[in-house]
Amino acid sequence: MWLPYRCTAKYVAASFSRGVAASFLRRARSGCNSAAFMPESAGFEGASGRDALHDYSVTHGESFWAAVARQRLSWIRPFDAVQDCDLSRGRIKWFEGGKLNVSVNCLDRHVHTCPERVALIWERDEQGSEVRYTYRELLEMTCRVGNLLRRHGVKKGDCVTIYMPTCPLAVASMLACARIGAAHNVVFAGFSADALAERIRDAQSSTVITVNQGVRGGKITELKKTVDAAVRGCPTVQQVFVSMRTENRVEMTDRDFALEEEMLKEDVVCEPEPMDSEDVLFLLYTSGSTGKPKGLVHTQAGYLLYAALTHRYVFSYHDGDVFGCVADIGWITGHSYTVYGPLANGGTTVLFESTPVYPDPVGEPINTEAWEWYYRVVGEGRCPVVDTWWQTETGGICIAPKPSEPDAEIVPGMAMRAFFGIKPVLMDTEGKLLTSNNTSGALCMAQPWPGMARTIHNNHQRFIETYFQPYPGYFFTGDGAYRSEEGYYQITGRLDDVINVSGHRIGTAEIEDVVNRCTAVAESAVIGYSHNIKGQGVYAFVVLKKGVDVQEAELSKQLNSMVSEKIAKYACPDFIQFAKRLPKTRSGKIMRRVLRKVVECDLDSLGDLSTVDDPAAVQEIIEGHEKLLSK
Ligand code: WTA
C-alpha cells in the first residue's frame, strides 16, 4: 500500500470510536443570523434564520443555487444557466456552460492554502493503527495515479471500475479518474465475482483497480482472485492495477500491473481535464425492485456542490474538525460523506477500513433506544445525533434534523426537516397530493436539486419509468413517509421490494433470481424482516418442484452458497422456509403483503384475505414459519 514517506504505518491510538454505523460529529454548533450561519446567503433578501433560508431556497431556487455554486466551487469557466430541468421527462441539467475539475476542487485549492493539513486519517483494520495523509500528499498520489491511467490509455469519458476496500489509494483512484475526466464505478468489495463482472460489463470498463488482498474484521479476503474470476467473463477489460494491501504475493498475469511500482514512475503533477458541469463523474450500481442492478449516473458540478453543502450544514462541519463517516466507499454514503463532501470543504476525513461488527457488534436501525445510547455513550450527551434520509439516487442528504433554528428540537429516530432546495411531498395511492399534516403517503420530491442522479447508465427509459412516471412531475423515492402534526418527516420504509441489510441495499428480486436458478426450486419469495443488528434480515420462502426429493438442510446450504457466489455473503437468507405453495391472488400474483406479516409475526394484521386463491395456503405458511422459528 502506498504510504507517505513521513509516516510509514504509524501506530497510534485511533482517535475515532470504532463500531458505529453512522456519521459522527465532533463538535456541535448552531448559527444565529443567516449570513453568519451561511455566508452564501448574504444577498438573499428577507432570508434571516434557517427556516426563512429554506423557504428562500425552494421559492427562489435559481438565485439560491447560483449563489451557492459560485461561492462553494472553483470554476474554470462560469456557468451560463443555473438549471434546465423537466421532471416529467427525467431531464435534469444544472450549471450548463460551466467548466470545472472536481479533483481541483477537492485537492489543489486546499493545497494552495494549507498543504500540510491532514486530508485523510486512515484507520486500518488492525486496531489502533492509523496513517495520515496531508492534502499535498493526497494530491501527489492522485496525480501519479492520474498520469498512470493516462499513460495506459484511459481517456476522458472512459469508465474505470474500482474494486477496493476503503483506503487512501481508493480515494486517490476516484480523484484520479475525476482529474483526467474518466468516470469511476466503485464496486463494493464484498460483492462476488459474478456481481462484479456484471457491473464491469454494464459499465464497459477496460480498466480495473484493485488490491491484492483485503483485510476486514481480522479476515483476509482474496480480492485480486475475485477480480481474476470476474474478468474472465469481461472481454472489455484490458488492464488491472493491483495495490499491495498485504505483503502476500498474488498471481499476476500480463494484463496486471503493480500499482505502487507503476506510480513511482509517474510525475507528481497531472494536468486536470476541464469538465463540463454535466459530464459524468461516476456510476454507482444500486438495487431496485427488479433483478438487474441499475448504474445510477451522477455528474460533476451539481453532485459535488450538493455533497459539499449538505456535509457542511447537516453535520455543522467547520474548519479544523475531524469528520468521520464510517460507511464503505463502495456505497453512496462513502462517496458523498467520506470522500467528496469533506474533501470539497477542505476537511479531514476518516477512512474506516474495518466493519462495525468488529471487534464488537453494534446495531444498525436508528430506533429510539439506539438513538439514546448513541447520544449518551458515543456523543457524550454533547453532540446532536441526526437521522439522515437520502438515497444513491439523491446524491446527498435530503431530509435531516439539521440545519435547524438554534435550539430547535431533535426528535429521536426522525429525519424531520427538508434540506435547502428540497421540497418533499406525500402522495396518496391515487396519486393525489396529501396536503395535511399527521398523514402518511408515498414520499416524492416536487422540485429538482443539483445532487440528484441524471440517468441510469444505458437505460434512460428505466430511469423515467422508475422515478418519474409513478407521479408525473415529481421524483418518486420508492419510500413511504409519515408527516407529523408539526410537519416533520419520518421514513416508514420502502414501498417496493428493496431491503437494507447491514446498510447494504438489495432487491429481494435479485435474491429470488438466484434461488430460482437452482434446479430443485419451482419458485420463491424473499422478504425482508426487522433484525436487531442488521436492520433487516433476509427470509426466503422456497417451493420445490414436484417429485424433488432432497434433504432440506443440504438444499439450504446449497442455496446459501449460490447467493453468496452470485451476489454477496450479506445477501444470504437468514431463514429458508420450504413450503408446498405460496399464497397467491386469483390472477397468480404472490401475496407478499401476507408473507411479510407472517415473517414479522404480525398475524393480527394479515388484512383482507378475500383475494387469496386458496386460504389454506396461508395457514400452511403460518404453521411452517412457527415450526422453523421453534427449531
Ligand atoms: C433507506 C443510502 C430510514 C430508504 C444513503 C432509502 C432510510 C434507502 C433512511 C436508500 C433513514 C435511507 N431512515 N430509511 N434515515 N435513509 N433509508 O441508496 O429506504 O443505499 O430508499 O442510500 O435506504 O439506500 P441507498
Side-chain angles (χ1 to χ4, degrees):
M1 185 51 67
W2 184 263
L3 294 173
Y5 66 94
R6 258 189 320 101
C7 52
T8 9
K10 264 201 308 199
Y11 289 84
V12 295
S15 60
F16 181 69
S17 164
R18 229 163 225 275
V20 178
S23 303
F24 179 76
L25 294 162
R26 187 158 167 237
R27 258 183 276 167
R29 295 185 195 83
S30 49
C32 34
N33 95 41
S34 292
F37 164 68
M38 188 182 197
E40 299 93 334
S41 71
F44 302 162
E45 227 161 88
S48 84
R50 185 268 170 203
D51 290 349
L53 257 177
H54 180 264
D55 285 349
Y56 186 91
S57 72
V58 289
T59 51
H60 298 77
E62 293 252 336
S63 103
F64 177 87
W65 288 115
V68 176
R70 276 190 204 108
Q71 292 179 55
R72 278 232 157 236
L73 300 182
S74 293
W75 296 87
I76 298 168
R77 182 190 186 281
F79 49 90
D80 303 317
V82 179
Q83 59 158 305
D84 174 12
C85 303
D86 176 356
L87 289 188
S88 61
R89 292 194 298 135
R91 176 189 169 81
I92 303 135
K93 295 192 185 289
W94 286 84
F95 311 119
E96 277 184 303
K99 282 190 185 288
L100 77 171
N101 183 280
V102 165
S103 81
V104 169
N105 274 273
C106 290
L107 298 172
D108 306 50
R109 59 176 175 163
H110 312 309
V111 172
H112 290 146
T113 54
C114 40
E116 300 310 315
R117 178 182 290 178
V118 175
L120 308 179
I121 300 176
W122 179 30
E123 189 186 334
R124 304 164 80 220
D125 193 68
E126 295 84 348
Q127 251 189 298
S129 79
E130 63 166 42
V131 188
R132 291 168 180 246
Y133 291 78
T134 65
Y135 269 93
R136 185 179 49 76
E137 288 161 345
L138 181 57
L139 174 60
E140 287 183 9
M141 190 163 41
T142 299
C143 284
R144 285 181 194 267
V145 180
N147 286 329
L148 176 64
L149 293 175
R150 266 192 185 138
R151 179 159 61 85
H152 281 259
V154 178
K155 291 184 300 298
K156 180 175 173 175
D158 291 352
C159 180
V160 174
T161 293
I162 298 173
Y163 185 71
M164 297 171 105
T166 300
C167 63
L169 260 178
V171 176
S173 300
M174 292 163 77
L175 293 168
C177 290
R179 194 159 194 91
I180 65 169
H184 57 70
N185 165 34
V186 182
V187 178
F188 173 57
F191 274 122
S192 68
D194 284 8
L196 172 61
E198 188 182 4
R199 286 158 178 77
I200 293 175
R201 274 195 302 267
D202 194 79
Q204 295 143 306
S205 281
S206 55
T207 303
V208 178
I209 309 179
T210 190
V211 298
N212 62 337
Q213 294 178 315
V215 189
R216 197 156 179 266
K219 289 196 210 106
I220 297 277
T221 47
E222 300 291 344
L223 297 188
K224 167 64 164 61
K225 279 196 187 141
T226 308
V227 170
D228 288 342
V231 164
R232 261 176 242 135
C234 300
T236 53
V237 173
Q238 287 162 6
Q239 49 198 356
V240 177
F241 295 99
V242 185
S243 163
M244 294 294 281
R245 168 60 179 89
T246 66
E247 280 166 14
N248 303 327
R249 296 183 72 81
V250 290
E251 202 186 312
M252 299 286 273
T253 68
D254 287 352
R255 119 220 112 200
D256 301 328
F257 298 90
L259 182 58
E260 286 88 344
E261 278 173 35
E262 294 295 315
M263 281 168 69
L264 285 174
K265 301 176 191 162
E266 299 297 336
D267 196 39
V268 294
V269 176
C270 173
E271 193 56 38
E273 189 75 38
M275 301 298 286
D276 289 333
S277 294
E278 284 299 337
D279 281 337
V280 176
L281 178 61
F282 64 84
L283 311 187
L284 187 57
Y285 284 83
T286 192
S287 299
S289 44
T290 66
K292 195 173 152 42
K294 33 193 181 183
L296 284 160
V297 173
H298 283 282
T299 55
Q300 313 269 327
Y303 169 79
L304 187 67
L305 177 67
Y306 198 72
L309 201 73
T310 47
H311 170 253
R312 165 69 186 80
Y313 290 107
V314 173
F315 300 112
S316 189
Y317 180 82
H318 283 76
D319 254 4
D321 289 351
V322 173
F323 184 81
C325 165
V326 298
D328 194 281
I329 50 149
W331 307 112
I332 191 68
T333 312
H335 281 55
S336 300
Y337 301 114
T338 307
V339 181
Y340 287 113
L343 295 179
N345 289 332
T348 298
T349 179
V350 175
L351 304 182
F352 178 64
E353 187 179 41
S354 195
T355 143
V357 294
Y358 175 77
D360 305 304
V362 182
E364 273 276 337
I366 319 180
N367 53 25
T368 307
E369 189 195 357
W371 194 99
E372 298 285 356
W373 171 83
Y374 192 54
Y375 180 71
R376 276 187 294 105
V377 179
V378 181
E380 297 173 347
R382 61 194 166 79
C383 302
V385 175
V386 290
D387 174 351
T388 61
W389 178 88
W390 59 300
Q391 314 177 295
T392 307
E393 291 83 344
T394 68
I397 294 161
C398 290
I399 308 180
K402 294 262 175 184
S404 58
E405 295 287 2
D407 305 322
E409 65 176 333
I410 295 184
V411 184
M414 251 203 185
M416 299 182 78
R417 303 181 175 95
F419 189 72
F420 300 129
I422 299 294
K423 195 173 168 189
V425 292
L426 299 179
M427 300 287 185
D428 71 9
T429 43
E430 262 96 63
K432 277 211 238 33
L433 203 60
L434 291 161
T435 50
S436 60
N437 282 355
N438 192 12
T439 186
S440 299
L443 179 66
C444 295
M445 298 295 164
Q447 290 183 359
W449 66 100
M452 68 194 298
R454 302 301 195 254
T455 188
I456 292 173
H457 182 62
N458 283 337
N459 203 342
H460 195 62
Q461 193 50 36
R462 185 176 176 195
F463 184 65
I464 294 173
E465 281 165 14
T466 310
Y467 304 108
F468 302 100
Q469 267 174 10
Y471 301 93
Y474 296 86
F475 168 81
F476 173 47
T477 65
D479 280 325
Y482 164 72
R483 186 167 53 224
S484 73
E485 205 57 75
E486 298 81 9
Y488 301 146
Y489 287 89
Q490 178 163 37
I491 305 308
T492 51
R494 296 288 303 195
L495 299 172
D496 56 12
D497 293 305
V498 173
I499 60 177
N500 217 307
V501 181
S502 304
H504 309 313
R505 174 170 155 179
I506 176 99
T508 53
E510 284 171 75
I511 306 174
E512 287 165 11
D513 274 2
V514 175
V515 170
N516 294 347
R517 276 185 229 176
C518 174
T519 48
V521 172
E523 64 177 349
S524 65
V526 170
I527 304 287
Y529 69 96
S530 317
H531 187 289
N532 277 345
I533 293 181
K534 300 196 287 188
Q536 280 185 294
V538 179
Y539 194 110
F541 292 92
V542 174
V543 178
L544 298 183
K545 283 185 187 149
K546 286 225 165 63
V548 168
D549 183 24
V550 284
Q551 284 276 318
E552 290 185 355
E554 273 311 303
L555 188 59
S556 294
K557 260 199 221 146
Q558 190 193 336
L559 293 175
N560 269 309
S561 77
M562 284 173 75
V563 174
S564 133
E565 190 185 307
K566 297 287 171 202
I567 308 173
K569 274 212 180 78
Y570 69 79
C572 289
D574 299 273
F575 292 99
I576 299 181
Q577 177 178 339
F578 293 95
K580 280 210 262 340
R581 55 198 161 151
L582 299 174
K584 290 188 179 171
T585 61
R586 278 181 211 111
S587 59
K589 263 188 116 176
I590 297 173
M591 295 188 74
R592 288 165 180 282
R593 170 175 64 81
V594 172
L595 294 176
R596 237 176 255 137
K597 294 290 176 196
V598 172
V599 170
E600 293 280 1
C601 301
D602 187 10
L603 299 184
D604 290 341
S605 30
L606 281 179
D608 179 11
L609 294 179
S610 60
T611 54
V612 186
D613 190 34
D614 182 357
V618 179
Q619 202 46 44
E620 283 170 24
I621 288 286
I622 294 173
E623 282 161 18
H625 175 248
E626 276 165 8
K627 227 165 98 191
L628 188 63
L629 291 198
S630 64
K631 263 188 200 164

